[in-house]
Amino acid sequence: MILRSRRIWQFGVLVTSLFLVSRPNLAQTEVLNPVKVFYGYEDLLRMAEDKIVQETPTKAFDFLIKAKELNPDPDYRYYNLAARAHMKLGQVFDGIHAYEESIKKKKDQLDLVLYIADFYEKERKQKEALFYTKLYLEQKPSAKYRLYTAAILSRQLGLESDYESYIQILESDKTFVSEKDALQTSLQKNIKSKKWKEADDLSLRYLVYFPREEGMYETLILARRGRQSDLLEQAYQWTTTVFLNETRYFTRYGVFLQEKQRYLEALTLFRRGFYNLLKFFPDSDAGEILFLIRQSYANLGKDRDTLAIDSLVKDFKNQNKLTATELENHQNTYRKNREYLLFCIHWFSKRDTAKANEYRQKLKDRDLEFEESEFLRVMGVFSALPQDL
């Protein structure tokens, strides 16, 4: 009897338990997300990183989305992971923008700051490159190479006072002044011996101590050309930036671009050289630079501009005998040619101010018309600089 009663009691407990378990909770309306329940913010970041390491970056975003739901204001690590995932997917600019958000959260990630600065410099976005270079210098104010980079970027953006300030900081270090001649001799020996790497390394190491010494740039260009370095163009850019008012360095840079069949970019460099000649060396022979401009037009298939340069060469040689009527007739024949308009500004500026201003306006109108086809505002590292005679 006792055993029977105990069985009945056990059965009752079992039924009650089943009823309680199966009874729905009418108050619970939200469906729980098992990822949120079992994993926290840190767990989700680790899982996202695992997916990136496993070469499945698309899946990493699933965990990053959940992480941001848990933490709407995520820390720098979240943005670094998002950037890495974007980079793995080939979404470079999205990756860079994610890295920028990471820097906003934690600006002392110095390697990352330099990575972004170098990226923008290669993309010819000098304003952005200078911003991150300055951010680095705020934390490492004595970093010589970055002081030099800031100087170069400042001048390319037309920030002349900033350029001069950075250069003077570099030149204030007199550590190797007494060794300058010996250094030049050593560089020349390396060049003659075709020790290109040694010459490259030595030039780069001491350039920041002598940022306006032409010999440093000459050996750097020769060394990088000798070793066929991918950084040769960088050397040309530095040289033309520091010696901004010269003609010959723009000529050499333009010839380099011609060798690479980058004819439109070469034309912009030769144009800058022609501008420098008119503004700073008006009594020089323009034959070489005009020949290179003509060659660029020919390579680009611009037949009318090619003929314009043939006419301009004659007018330049005979400019002291030209009459205003003759020059205007010649220019009107090739009225869209940029070099002719620039020469007219130069020629009339000494004889008729009103006419010179008229041609300045024509040049502005012409550049506005060809802004997109010639990439006048974005092509080259000197596009931000004025070319007003």
Side-chain angles (χ1 to χ4, degrees):
M1 177 68 71
I2 293 173
L3 291 173
R4 184 182 176 191
S5 298
R6 183 174 293 174
R7 290 194 197 98
I8 293 171
W9 175 80
Q10 289 175 338
F11 179 76
V13 172
L14 177 63
V15 170
T16 302
S17 300
L18 290 171
F19 176 77
L20 288 173
V21 172
S22 62
R23 183 180 179 184
N25 185 352
L26 297 177
Q28 181 178 324
T29 57
E30 181 183 358
V31 179
L32 293 177
N33 187 325
V35 174
K36 288 184 179 180
V37 172
F38 296 112
Y39 299 108
Y41 176 75
E42 298 289 336
D43 300 311
L44 293 167
L45 291 188
R46 282 194 295 271
M47 295 168 77
E49 185 171 20
D50 287 342
K51 295 300 179 184
I52 295 170
V53 172
Q54 295 167 11
E55 302 295 333
T56 54
T58 302
K59 294 181 180 179
F61 286 111
D62 296 336
F63 295 103
L64 289 173
I65 290 170
K66 298 301 181 185
K68 195 169 186 179
E69 288 177 3
L70 289 177
N71 184 3
D73 186 23
D75 64 4
Y76 74 98
R77 296 172 300 161
Y78 166 88
Y79 290 106
N80 283 346
L81 289 170
R84 287 170 58 189
H86 280 302
M87 292 294 190
K88 282 284 184 75
L89 292 168
Q91 300 164 353
V92 178
F93 280 97
D94 289 331
I96 290 295
H97 292 155
Y99 277 138
E100 289 180 295
E101 291 300 316
S102 174
I103 294 298
K104 291 177 184 177
K105 297 288 184 179
K106 192 173 187 292
K107 70 176 184 178
D108 63 349
Q109 302 176 81
L110 296 183
D111 288 344
L112 188 53
V113 172
L114 290 184
Y115 176 80
I116 298 171
D118 290 343
F119 171 82
Y120 279 127
E121 187 178 0
K122 289 177 183 176
E123 290 293 318
R124 298 183 179 182
K125 294 181 179 292
Q126 291 100 321
K127 186 177 180 180
E128 292 83 355
L130 181 59
F131 174 84
Y132 285 100
T133 301
K134 285 184 173 181
L135 181 60
Y136 182 85
L137 287 170
E138 287 176 9
Q139 301 166 79
K140 294 283 186 179
S142 60
K144 291 189 180 297
Y145 181 79
R146 294 299 160 175
L147 285 166
Y148 179 80
T149 304
I152 293 294
L153 293 168
S154 295
R155 175 163 261 197
Q156 290 173 355
L157 288 167
L159 305 173
E160 198 64 20
S161 61
D162 289 352
Y163 163 79
E164 193 63 35
S165 175
Y166 288 122
I167 290 293
Q168 287 179 5
I169 292 172
L170 293 171
E171 290 178 331
S172 66
D173 188 336
K174 306 296 184 181
T175 304
F176 298 102
V177 168
S178 61
E179 301 175 31
K180 186 171 71 171
D181 292 340
L183 175 61
Q184 293 282 21
T185 301
S186 180
L187 284 169
Q188 291 300 326
K189 285 182 178 178
N190 283 326
I191 294 296
K192 289 180 180 179
S193 302
K194 297 185 178 180
K195 294 181 178 179
W196 308 123
K197 184 180 185 305
E198 290 83 349
D200 189 345
D201 293 344
L202 202 60
S203 296
L204 191 60
R205 188 180 309 144
Y206 291 101
L207 184 65
V208 294
Y209 294 95
F210 307 102
R212 286 190 268 217
E213 189 68 36
E214 285 193 60
M216 292 291 178
Y217 296 88
E218 292 284 354
T219 53
L220 184 64
I221 289 172
L222 289 171
R224 290 185 174 178
R225 181 175 278 278
R227 68 188 298 197
Q228 298 181 333
S229 171
D230 292 336
L231 295 175
L232 176 56
E233 184 169 1
Q234 180 191 64
Y236 279 121
Q237 289 179 359
W238 288 351
T239 308
T240 48
T241 301
V242 172
F243 305 104
L244 189 63
N245 297 338
E246 294 289 343
T247 297
R248 64 186 184 280
Y249 291 117
F250 283 91
T251 300
R252 290 170 64 181
Y253 185 10
V255 170
F256 164 78
L257 293 176
Q258 270 194 338
E259 292 171 358
K260 302 293 183 182
Q261 298 185 353
R262 291 160 59 184
Y263 299 125
L264 188 54
E265 291 174 86
L267 177 61
T268 65
L269 270 297
F270 296 142
R271 281 175 167 174
R272 180 80 198 183
F274 183 59
Y275 163 78
N276 280 355
L277 184 142
L278 293 178
K279 187 172 181 68
F280 303 109
F281 311 101
D283 297 326
S284 301
D285 180 14
E288 181 185 17
I289 196 72
L290 287 175
F291 169 79
L292 291 167
I293 291 173
R294 183 190 186 283
Q295 194 176 59
S296 298
Y297 281 133
N299 288 328
L300 291 165
K302 296 181 177 291
D303 297 335
R304 191 151 190 80
D305 282 308
T306 304
L307 294 173
I309 300 302
D310 289 336
S311 176
L312 180 56
V313 167
K314 297 174 183 177
D315 283 348
F316 192 93
K317 288 180 178 179
N318 300 318
Q319 58 183 294
N320 293 328
K321 299 178 181 179
L322 271 178
T323 65
T325 301
E326 287 175 331
L327 179 57
E328 290 197 277
N329 286 340
H330 295 167
Q331 188 280 323
N332 194 49
T333 303
Y334 307 102
R335 60 191 184 89
K336 298 292 185 179
N337 180 262
R338 195 177 198 282
E339 287 66 51
Y340 241 126
L341 288 169
L342 206 59
F343 179 68
C344 285
I345 295 170
H346 165 74
W347 194 89
F348 279 110
S349 63
K350 302 176 182 177
R351 299 167 175 84
D352 188 333
T353 302
K355 273 291 181 183
N357 289 334
E358 179 184 325
Y359 278 101
R360 287 188 178 97
Q361 186 59 50
K362 287 183 178 181
L363 180 61
K364 289 180 181 178
D365 294 341
R366 184 260 174 217
D367 282 352
L368 187 62
E369 180 181 346
F370 290 91
E371 182 175 10
E372 292 187 11
S373 62
E374 292 186 356
F375 299 100
L376 288 173
R377 298 292 173 264
V378 296
M379 185 65 74
V381 294
F382 305 101
S383 57
L385 299 180
Q387 291 192 38
D388 300 325
L389 287 175

